[in-house]
Amino acid sequence: MGKQMTEMLKGTLEGIVLAILGVQPAYGYEITARLRERGFEDLAEGTIYALLIRIEQRGLVDVEKVPSEKGPPRKVYSLNRRGQEYLEEFWRTWSFLSERIGQLHEGEV
Amino acid sequence: MGKQMTEMLKGTLEGIVLAILGVQPAYGYEITARLRERGFEDLAEGTIYALLIRIEQRGLVDVEKVPSEKGPPRKVYSLNRRGQEYLEEFWRTWSFLSERIGQLHEGEV
DNA sequence: TACCAGTACATAGTAACGCTGAATAGTGAC
DNA sequence: GTCACTATTCAGCGTTACTATGTACTGGTA
C-alpha cells in the first residue's frame, strides 16, 4: 500500500468491512481476497484479521465457526444490530467528510 | 471530535490542509479557525500545528514569518512544487478510495 | 513418504497520526 | 492589573494499519 492510502484507510477500512458484512456474512480470508480483487491489491493479510477481532470485541458482529473443505475452519462474521447502528453512524461521518473534501477538490474553499 | 471522525481524519486532514494552502498561503491559527467554521467544530488546536511542522519537515511547504498586529508573529505556510505534486497524489488516492466507498454505499458490492 | 501450494487464522512489534492538556508570548480593552 | 483574544509549541496517549512470522488443515505430486 502507498503510505497515503495506508493512512487514509485508518478509520475507513473498518467501515468498508462493516459495509461488506452488512450485505452478507463473510470470513476473513474471503474479505481480504475480495478487497484485493477490487483494487486494494497489497492489503496486508493480517490487517483484516486484527480488524475483525476488534469489531467482534466491540460487539458489532456475531461469529460462527464453519468447517471448510479446503483448510482450517472459517470464522464467519455477520453484522448484528449494534453493528448496523455503528455502520449508519459511519455513513453519516463519511458523508460529511467526503462532502467537505469534495468541495475542496472543486475549488470551493 | 467523534471517535469515528478522528480516525477518518488520519490521512485526510493532511490533504485538506494542503488543499487549503494550494488556494492561498495561510497560518496555523487561521487554518484551524476556517476549518472550525466549516463544520470541524472541535478540531483540536494543537493538531494543525503538529501537522504543519510535519509537512514542513517533509519539504512540502515554504514558511515565512510575518508580524501580526494582534499577537505573536504568524508562520505563514505556502505550498511549493513538491507539495503540489504530493497534493495531486493525494487527490488520486482520495478519488480511488471515495469511489470504492461510494459504490459500497450504493450497495454495489 | 516428503514436500509444496493453497486455504485460513493469529499475533507481537512498529510507525504514523490526531487528540489531550498544558505552557508560553504578544496585543488591546476594561 | 487582569482578562480575552491571538498565535505557536510540545510531551504523552490511544488507535490504527503494516511487517513479519507462525500455526494448522487439505490435496496434489514427485
Side-chain angles (χ1 to χ4, degrees), chain A residues 37-92:
Chain A
E37 278 169 24
R38 301 192 155 268
F40 301 96
E41 277 131 21
D42 12 73
L43 182 70
E45 180 88 44
T47 299
I48 293 298
Y49 291 113
L51 192 157
L52 288 170
I53 287 169
R54 219 163 58 221
I55 62 179
E56 182 190 352
Q57 283 171 348
R58 287 209 208 119
L60 306 178
V61 287
D62 296 329
V63 193
E64 198 189 351
K65 224 162 200 165
V66 177
S68 161
E69 312 103 28
K70 293 185 184 173
R74 299 165 174 165
K75 281 180 75 177
V76 176
Y77 293 82
S78 53
L79 201 64
N80 62 25
R81 182 98 183 88
R82 276 189 66 182
Q84 203 95 32
E85 285 164 16
Y86 191 85
L87 179 57
E88 280 162 28
E89 176 68 18
F90 169 81
W91 285 129
R92 280 192 290 275

Side-chain angles (χ1 to χ4, degrees), chain B:
Chain B
M1 285 282 149
K3 197 177 151 291
Q4 289 199 20
M5 182 59 94
T6 290
E7 291 309 320
M8 235 182 257
L9 283 178
K10 292 186 182 178
T12 54
L13 185 58
E14 190 176 281
I16 290 172
V17 170
L18 289 174
I20 288 174
L21 295 180
V23 179
Q24 59 174 26
Y27 55 97
Y29 192 83
E30 183 189 5
I31 295 171
T32 302
R34 271 207 241 166
L35 288 175
R36 283 182 174 163
E37 278 169 22
R38 301 192 155 270
F40 300 97
E41 277 131 21
D42 14 72
L43 182 71
E45 184 85 47
T47 299
I48 293 297
Y49 291 111
L51 191 158
L52 288 170
I53 288 170
R54 220 164 56 222
I55 62 179
E56 182 190 351
Q57 283 172 347
R58 288 209 209 119
L60 306 178
V61 287
D62 296 329
V63 193
E64 198 190 350
K65 225 162 199 165
V66 177
S68 163
E69 310 104 29
K70 293 185 185 173
R74 298 164 174 167
K75 282 179 75 176
V76 176
Y77 294 82
S78 54
L79 202 65
N80 63 23
R81 182 103 182 85
R82 275 189 67 184
Q84 204 94 33
E85 285 164 16
Y86 191 85
L87 179 57
E88 279 161 29
E89 175 67 18
F90 169 79
W91 284 129
R92 279 192 291 276
T93 307
W94 168 259
S95 298
F96 175 82
L97 186 61
S98 74
E99 202 183 310
R100 299 292 139 169
I101 295 183
Q103 285 172 2
L104 267 177
H105 204 177
E106 306 306 325
E108 313 161 30
V109 189

